Amino acid sequence: AGKTKILIDAGLSGKRIIEALFSIGENPSELSAILVTHEHSDHIKGVGIISRKFNIPVFANKKTWEAMEDFIGPIKMENMVCFDTQQEFEIGDICVKPFPIPHDAAEPVGFNMFVGTKKVTVATDIGHINRSLLNSFEMSDLILLESNHDIEMLRVGRYPWPLKKRISSDIGHL
């Protein structure tokens, strides 16, 4: 939105994220913020590296900060931004409204982002759809919704049983 550019999660290596951004014509040094949905490694692996290299603020709720802090390395205090999951906030030209999602993490969230009359919703790693989520999705102009496994492939795949059970649970993945 205008000059405001937000990266949601950073689960790849810093090098791969930088390469991916450049491949789509975006300069990582122009990022306004990194928003973190939850602390699982496939969502935070490059958070610390990108923040340190380009001096970018990282936004996460308190429980997510507590759960990920030891895994992302040191981040400048002024770049550690804590939000309340029930409270909207602004990053440049974008109004961000986090909302809770059912997933097996400390306090996982999705994001509604508003620019003018447009609403974009991002929700990853959802265990199941409920009324609260549907309310958060309502009136979105664009929704990025992740569903990342095939039930049959999961059933016959090589993952250990406890992981299969977690992924397919109500707090796993769609």
Side-chain angles (χ1 to χ4, degrees):
K3 293 187 177 197
T4 305
K5 298 177 181 187
I6 296 174
L7 178 64
I8 299 176
D9 290 338
L12 302 173
S13 70
K15 180 181 178 186
R16 287 189 58 199
I17 292 168
I18 293 165
E19 289 170 353
L21 288 168
F22 277 125
S23 78
I24 61 168
E26 294 297 337
N27 186 335
S29 67
E30 296 176 359
L31 287 173
S32 305
I34 301 170
L35 295 178
V36 178
T37 60
H38 65 289
E39 75 279 2
H40 291 165
S41 64
D42 60 328
H43 291 260
I44 66 165
K45 186 175 182 180
V47 166
I49 294 161
I50 300 297
S51 177
R52 286 187 293 277
K53 186 170 181 82
F54 299 104
N55 195 33
I56 299 168
V58 177
F59 289 70
N61 61 40
K62 185 176 189 275
K63 288 183 180 178
T64 299
W65 269 115
E66 290 169 355
M68 75 175 177
E69 211 164 2
D70 291 341
F71 299 99
I72 62 173
I75 291 183
K76 289 181 181 178
M77 189 63 86
E78 63 267 20
N79 284 340
M80 297 174 67
V81 184
C82 191
F83 62 78
D84 180 335
T85 298
Q86 303 299 328
Q87 193 71 36
E88 64 184 45
F89 56 91
E90 291 185 5
I91 300 173
D93 298 323
I94 301 174
C95 177
V96 179
K97 184 176 182 196
F99 57 89
I101 61 170
H103 189 53
D104 61 345
E107 189 179 335
V109 296
F111 297 105
N112 292 136
M113 290 163 287
F114 302 89
V115 178
T117 62
K118 298 294 182 189
K119 176 182 178 183
V120 174
T121 299
V122 175
T124 64
D125 289 21
I126 296 171
H128 66 278
I129 299 293
N130 58 36
R131 175 52 49 201
S132 176
L133 283 173
L134 292 175
N135 291 340
S136 293
F137 298 165
E138 197 169 68
M139 303 299 290
S140 294
D141 294 286
L142 176 69
I143 299 176
L144 182 136
L145 181 66
E146 178 187 40
S147 73
N148 63 0
H149 75 277
D150 175 275
I151 294 170
E152 185 60 19
M153 286 176 68
L154 180 65
R155 189 182 70 73
V156 299
R158 59 184 168 95
Y159 287 156
W161 173 246
L163 181 56
K164 290 179 182 184
K165 190 174 175 183
R166 182 182 75 79
I167 290 171
S168 62
S169 76
D170 274 359
I171 55 171
H173 296 267
L174 293 178

